[in-house]
Every structure is written in structure tokens, then in C-alpha cells.
């Protein structure tokens, strides 16, 4: 497994080994010791799976004050996956990182607590799965406007399919209660 650190401290990108033969492929998608040795020593309590059509954009989402870390991958299709540091006081506050995740590459992105997350679907359809470090708590869900000019995320689509909540999400500077950097 290859592991690399993107320019935003705290994020990790995992590129699992894909073993292929004439029957198909085998990929180890998670093994606690191997991931801990690579810098991800998190306990996961919930797995989520989404299925979306081309042009769908989900995000930018986070939970606060019950934050979740997420290990995200795309088992089918191709997505542009984005993490934004929204921890007040962080030297990288408001900075984002994006990476393509796909069923072909099996690449995974670790998004620590205190980061907002979103993705858009670039293929006809895609499945996105993620392991979470805390349970989903709808009363603690926050959404940040996907096209917030303060963030300047370079999305590869201009007219995404959005949920009502994502369409009405505020900009980052309109949200008073955000995680604190420590």
C-alpha cells in the first residue's frame, strides 16, 4: 500500500495494492494495523454508502460538535473528492484539497475530524463509501455552500445536481460555531 500526505496537514491518501489475475481483482480495503502503521489510528463505528448520478454534488458536510473522521473511497465510478479545513484557528483554515477517487484506482482519502467533506460525480454513476469515527447525528449536521467564494473550491462541474439542504447552505463566514484547532 502506498500512502502519501497531501499539502493539507492531517489528510492522508491511501493507494491499496490491487492484485489481479484472469478471474478479476482482490484489494484489501482496510486492515487496522496496516493503517495505524501508516498514520491512521482511528476507531470506526459506522460505514456509509451513497449511490449518485453523473453531476451530483454532495457537500460540503461535517458534524459539529460531534465531529467525524472519514475514510472515503469510490468502489464504482469516478468522483472528485474534496476536504476543507474548517477548524477555527488552524493555519490552513479555509484551504481545501481535492483528489479523484475511482473504482479503478481504489484510492482512499482520510479526512480527520474538523474538516468538511464533499464530492461530485464525474462518471455516469458512482458509489462512494466511507468509514466514520463517530455516529451520524442529524442534529449536529452542518453544510457549507459548495461554491462559497471564500473557499474557492475548483469543482470540475458548474451546474451540479444538489439537495435542497446543499442549495440553501450558508457560506463559511456565516457559520458561527465551528470546530477549534488544537
Amino acid at each position: 500500500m502506498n500512502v502519501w500526505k497531501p499539502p493539507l496537514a492531517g489528510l492522508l491518501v491511501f493507494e491499496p495494492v490491487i492484485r489481479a489475475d484472469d478471474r478479476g481483482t482482490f484489494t484489501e480495503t482496510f486492515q487496522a494495523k496496516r493503517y495505524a502503521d501508516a498514520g491512521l489510528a482511528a476507531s470506526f463505528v459506522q460505514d456509509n454508502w451513497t449511490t449518485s448520478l453523473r453531476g451530483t454534488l454532495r457537500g460540503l458536510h461535517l458534524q459539529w460538535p460531534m465531529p467525524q473522521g472519514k475514510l472515503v473511497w469510490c468502489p464504482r465510478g469516478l468522483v472528485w473528492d474534496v476536504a476543507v479545513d474548517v477548524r477555527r484557528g488552524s493555519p490552513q483554515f479555509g484551504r481545501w484539497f481535492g483528489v479523484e477517487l475511482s473504482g479503478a484506482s481504489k484510492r482512499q482519502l482520510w479526512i480527520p475530524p474538523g474538516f468538511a467533506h464533499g464530492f461530485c460525480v464525474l462518471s455516469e454513476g458512482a458509489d462512494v463509501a466511507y468509514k466514520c469515527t463517530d455516529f451520524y447525528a442529524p442534529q449536529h449536521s452542518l453544510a457549507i455552500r459548495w461554491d462559497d467564494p471564500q473557499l474557492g473550491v475548483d469543482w470540475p462541474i458548474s451546474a451540479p445536481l444538489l439537495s435542497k439542504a446543499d442549495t440553501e447552505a450558508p457560506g463559511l463566514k456565516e457559520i458561527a460555531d465551528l470546530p477549534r484547532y488544537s
Side-chain angles (χ1 to χ4, degrees):
M1 170 174 64
N2 292 323
V3 182
W4 51 280
K5 295 179 180 183
L8 252 60
L11 300 178
L12 294 170
V13 175
F14 296 91
E15 295 179 340
V17 174
I18 303 169
R19 291 180 172 68
D21 63 24
D22 56 351
R23 300 168 297 159
T25 65
F26 172 84
T27 305
E28 184 180 88
T29 61
F30 183 77
Q31 198 257 45
K33 184 175 180 341
R34 192 178 328 275
Y35 279 64
D37 290 347
L40 174 56
S43 296
F44 296 105
V45 299
Q46 181 174 322
D47 287 356
N48 298 329
W49 190 288
T50 67
T51 300
S52 304
L53 302 173
R54 178 191 296 275
T56 296
L57 192 148
R58 295 181 186 265
L60 299 160
H61 301 152
L62 72 149
Q63 280 192 182
W64 182 251
M66 211 172 134
Q68 294 176 311
K70 296 176 182 176
L71 179 62
V72 183
W73 70 97
C74 177
R76 180 187 66 89
L78 172 66
V79 302
W80 176 247
D81 204 88
V82 172
V84 181
D85 187 346
V86 297
R87 299 170 299 164
R88 295 241 189 250
S90 168
Q92 53 193 25
F93 179 77
R95 289 186 49 208
W96 63 273
F97 170 78
V99 64
E100 283 189 353
L101 304 179
S102 72
S105 74
K106 310 290 191 258
R107 183 180 293 145
Q108 301 170 333
L109 175 62
W110 163 246
I111 304 168
F115 284 68
H117 172 245
F119 66 88
C120 66
V121 179
L122 304 176
S123 53
E124 284 304 311
D127 293 348
V128 172
Y130 47 102
K131 302 180 95 43
C132 300
T133 60
D134 207 341
F135 299 105
Y136 174 63
Q139 70 275 24
H140 298 301
S141 291
L142 292 176
I144 300 166
R145 188 167 174 82
W146 70 278
D147 61 349
D148 183 346
Q150 180 182 350
L151 301 177
V153 175
D154 188 14
W155 295 103
I157 60 176
S158 57
L161 298 171
L162 298 165
S163 70
K164 184 175 190 255
D166 287 342
T167 300
E168 297 172 352
L172 184 60
K173 66 182 169 189
E174 299 169 59
I175 302 172
D177 190 22
L178 287 168
R180 297 268 176 222
Y181 177 74
S182 57

